[in-house]
């Protein structure tokens, strides 16, 4: 999973994508075309300011790869040094088609 600013992946400040297995221990069973994260997802602590993050991408690989799904964060958030951004369980909702 990647964090983005204006659809560009965050970089610097020790940023790294976070791996989340695509299984029902990490996501809900799709219902009515929607699924959500079942567990809290936490990124590593920023060692420098990452900027104001406004989007999320589900990626095919831990580096490089391609975008599987993407979406906007309802309320963009500034990630300063010393913060480990996270999404609580059910915060991320994905439409399954």
């Amino acid at each position: 999973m990647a964090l983005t600013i204006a659809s560009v992946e965050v970089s610097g400040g020790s940023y790294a994508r976070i791996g989340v297995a695509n299984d029902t221990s990490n996501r809900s069973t799709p219902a009515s075309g929607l699924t959500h994260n079942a567990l809290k997802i936490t990124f590593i602590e920023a060692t420098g300011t990452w900027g104001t993050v406004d989007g999320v991408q589900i990626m095919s690989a831990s580096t490089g790869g391609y975008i599987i799904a993407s979406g906007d964060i309802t309320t963009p958030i500034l990630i300063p040094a010393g913060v480990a951004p996270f999404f609580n369980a059910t915060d991320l909702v994905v439409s399954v088609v």
Side-chain angles (χ1 to χ4, degrees), residues 1-16:
M1 178 172 296
L3 297 176
T4 61
I5 300 171
S7 298
V8 176
E9 188 168 4
V10 170
S11 64
S14 297
Y15 169 79

Side-chain angles (χ1 to χ4, degrees), residues 35-47:
T35 186
H36 64 265
N37 59 308
L39 303 172
K40 183 177 182 179
I41 298 170
T42 304
F43 285 78
I44 64 169
E45 183 177 306
T47 59

